[in-house]
Amino acid sequence: MPSIAHLVLGAVIGICLYYISDGKFSKTHVFVLFMNNYLGPDVGWVIGLGAITHSIAFWPVFAFVLSYFYHYFTRFTIEIDGIKNIELIDLEKHKMSYINVYFLVVAGGFLHNYLDGVMNRGGVFFIIPEISSFSGVSWTIDDFMLLWETGLLGNIPVVALIIGVLLILGFIFIFVWFLEVISKKAGLITLSYVILFMLTYLLLGSLATEHADAGAIVYIGLFWAIPLACCVLSTREFKHFKKPVELAKEKRNKNLELITLWLILVGSLGVIAMILGFSLNNVIITFIFDNYGTEMPSYLGPGEILVIALILESVMLTLSIISLACAFGLKIRNEKLWRFTIYCHLGFSWTIIGLYIACALSDKYVKESFNNKA
């Protein structure tokens, strides 16, 4: 499970953007950014693609798939009237377009990978993952600091310093001009100026500014400029992208059948696995300690491992039985069990599958089928 630090980072940035935009960066925007800064690339571990999703190059590709789910979630809002009355309301239309959601998913994933690289991996960032015989590409903080430190033209300190100072002062003036006009053309000219500076740095090296500016600009571009720019784009209207056609009533009700089948499958497999686990615990623990006992912490002996296993298996068995009970309730169109199923999956709303099931069961046509039954 991702750490709480991801939640804090997503919450701080999202709320700040919400207030400074006077709500244009809406609460829905905040939610999507918040969840993807938390889960985002970690969803890849569930399907065996964690190395792919935790890379700068491939995260935007995976985001195309993940955005489908978050775009679906924007069709719902939550209504809370006390702890006993929590309801997902189907708005029957999406609050955000798919492309707007995509930009937020990309932003959240970049911020997630940034925090992972800084705190979890001590300054190592995966650019391209390891694929087959290709060893991948990863950059460290040192790689950013040393980027183009030695210029291609060699050691010419006086010339380098004069040109560097002139470019720095020039950037101040060109950015002030950009603030005055605020246009796409001015933005492109300002960006071109930064590229010109990078090319100059490549030729003259760090002598131009006496700082590791090339690496710093690349670092800022990857982990701050791209996410923040995507947040801005998520509030723009893209007329060339048509709104998706709403699904037919018949297809929506198929969600109910698929969810029922999913709960039966997960519940049944869970019960079988836990029964086998209870009966084979001693065999499994003995095998672990015979083969990996020297690698186990000193405070974890066979007895302690057995207690932990029994607790986890009891929890999983309980959840599996609940899944089967929910599936039964959906099958017989029992309103109380239907609502209970929604509440259970809202409890797992930090996972995509939990939130997806809760939303799908709150669909207007699904809700009508239970209300009519009642």
Side-chain angles (χ1 to χ4, degrees):
M1 181 183 292
S3 70
I4 192 174
H6 289 293
L7 293 174
V8 173
L9 179 60
V12 168
I13 293 177
I15 290 298
C16 287
L17 292 174
Y18 171 76
Y19 279 107
I20 65 177
S21 68
D22 290 329
K24 187 172 183 180
F25 192 88
S26 67
K27 292 179 181 179
T28 304
H29 287 78
V30 176
F31 170 77
V32 176
L33 179 67
F34 175 77
M35 290 302 295
N36 279 279
N37 192 54
Y38 179 59
L39 290 175
D42 280 352
V43 174
W45 294 120
V46 179
I47 55 178
L49 296 175
I52 299 290
T53 58
H54 281 79
S55 66
I56 298 300
F58 285 96
W59 167 248
V61 178
F62 184 76
F64 277 111
V65 178
L66 202 56
S67 297
Y68 165 79
F69 296 97
Y70 284 98
H71 179 240
Y72 176 66
F73 300 153
T74 65
R75 231 185 64 190
F76 297 85
T77 188
I78 191 166
E79 189 176 277
I80 302 175
D81 184 18
I83 192 65
K84 293 183 179 180
N85 192 5
I86 302 173
E87 188 172 2
L88 284 170
I89 307 298
D90 183 2
L91 302 174
E92 299 186 70
K93 64 178 182 178
H94 300 91
K95 293 181 184 177
M96 296 171 59
S97 69
Y98 172 85
I99 190 65
N100 290 142
V101 171
Y102 172 76
F103 282 125
L104 281 176
V105 172
V106 170
F110 266 76
L111 290 171
H112 178 106
N113 284 335
Y114 158 73
L115 196 59
D116 274 358
V118 171
M119 303 303 297
N120 295 353
R121 295 191 290 269
V124 178
F125 306 90
F126 297 130
I127 307 301
I128 301 176
E130 181 179 346
I131 302 174
S132 186
S133 59
F134 178 64
S135 58
V137 176
S138 60
W139 290 349
T140 66
I141 292 293
D142 286 340
D143 290 328
F144 284 108
M145 292 176 65
L146 298 175
L147 181 64
W148 303 342
E149 183 181 37
T150 303
L152 296 178
L153 298 181
N155 188 7
I156 46 176
V158 176
V159 175
L161 187 58
I162 292 174
I163 294 176
V165 170
L166 290 174
L167 285 172
I168 291 172
L169 294 174
F171 185 74
I172 295 174
F173 286 106
I174 198 169
F175 189 71
V176 170
W177 169 74
F178 168 73
L179 288 176
E180 181 70 23
V181 298
I182 299 289
S183 66
K184 291 181 181 179
K185 181 180 178 180
L188 289 174
I189 292 174
T190 305
L191 179 61
S192 299
Y193 191 93
V194 174
I195 294 172
L196 173 64
F197 173 82
M198 293 292 283
L199 292 174
T200 304
Y201 196 97
L202 171 63
L203 295 174
L204 301 176
S206 61
L207 290 173
T209 62
E210 296 298 327
H211 290 84
D213 280 328
I217 289 173
V218 173
Y219 184 86
I220 292 168
L222 286 175
F223 300 117
W224 291 103
I226 290 178
L228 291 177
C230 283
C231 287
V232 172
L233 290 171
S234 72
T235 65
R236 297 293 188 265
E237 183 179 354
F238 295 89
K239 297 180 180 179
H240 299 294
F241 292 88
K242 296 181 180 179
K243 293 182 179 180
V245 179
E246 293 291 335
L247 296 176
K249 175 179 176 179
E250 293 77 15
K251 190 166 184 178
R252 286 179 175 180
N253 279 328
K254 280 189 177 180
N255 281 339
L256 183 60
E257 299 173 12
L258 291 173
I259 291 171
T260 303
L261 181 62
W262 167 260
L263 292 175
I264 291 173
L265 181 64
V266 170
S268 300
L269 291 177
V271 169
I272 294 171
M274 292 309 104
I275 291 175
L276 289 175
F278 282 122
S279 60
L280 297 175
N281 271 336
N282 290 327
V283 176
I284 295 172
I285 292 173
T286 300
F287 173 81
I288 291 174
F289 274 88
D290 285 347
N291 291 274
Y292 307 102
T294 57
E295 302 174 18
M296 300 292 290
S298 58
Y299 55 83
L300 285 181
E304 288 76 14
I305 295 292
L306 179 60
V307 171
I308 293 172
L310 289 173
I311 293 174
L312 291 176
E313 287 163 355
S314 298
V315 171
M316 294 304 297
L317 180 61
T318 301
L319 292 176
S320 298
I321 293 173
I322 289 175
S323 291
L324 290 174
C326 289
F328 177 74
L330 296 180
K331 195 68 178 175
I332 65 173
R333 296 292 197 275
N334 182 277
E335 185 180 2
K336 289 184 178 180
L337 282 176
W338 162 63
R339 292 190 178 278
F340 176 74
T341 305
I342 294 175
Y343 292 151
C344 282
H345 286 87
L346 279 177
F348 290 95
S349 59
W350 51 272
T351 67
I352 289 179
I353 187 66
L355 188 55
Y356 186 86
I357 288 176
C359 288
L361 291 178
S362 301
D363 185 287
K364 175 188 174 184
Y365 295 109
V366 173
K367 186 181 295 185
E368 286 179 349
S369 68
F370 280 90
N371 291 335
N372 292 337
K373 174 69 177 177

